[in-house]
Amino acid sequence: MVREWLEKADKDLALATHLLNENAPFPEAIAFHAHQAAEKYLKGLLVYLQIEFSKTHNLGKLLDLISAKNPSLAGSLEEITVLNPYAVEFRYPGPLDITLEDAQKAVQLAAKTGDAVKGTIG
């Protein structure tokens, strides 16, 4: 199950990275898939740590659960919570826009999450 979570996360990150590298004019989609990657990496780690979690897209809540067993890792990833709005809010009409710079930062944070999780799991 851990491997499945990480594989799904890798695919989301690969898609976000591909769109970014192709200069695709879809920063919302890039940021969404970056969030999804980070979320799935965290959920894979939670499964690995045998910590139950509820259905949520909130990265802060997932980090809080991880913090119970690995506070240093959770603390090192605290900045990924800026990705939370990309899960839902930016996918619907409204006054919020995502820039290419935002999308680039989102991909960087998702990659950082993947590296940290994989480094912990081994």
Side-chain angles (χ1 to χ4, degrees), residues 6 18 24 37 78 122:
L6 299 184
H18 171 74
E78 203 169 279

Side-chain angles (χ1 to χ4, degrees), residues 5-17 29-44 59 62 80 83 106-107 109-115 117-118:
W5 277 109
L6 299 184
E7 287 173 356
K8 292 284 188 182
D10 285 342
K11 287 178 182 180
D12 276 312
L13 181 57
L15 177 58
T17 302
I30 294 167
F32 171 75
H33 285 287
H35 172 278
Q36 289 296 292
E39 178 183 327
K40 290 169 186 167
Y41 285 129
L42 294 182
K43 288 179 177 179
L59 301 176
L62 298 174
I80 69 169
L83 301 177
V107 169
L109 291 172
K112 176 183 177 180
T113 305
D115 290 345
V117 167
K118 291 174 183 179

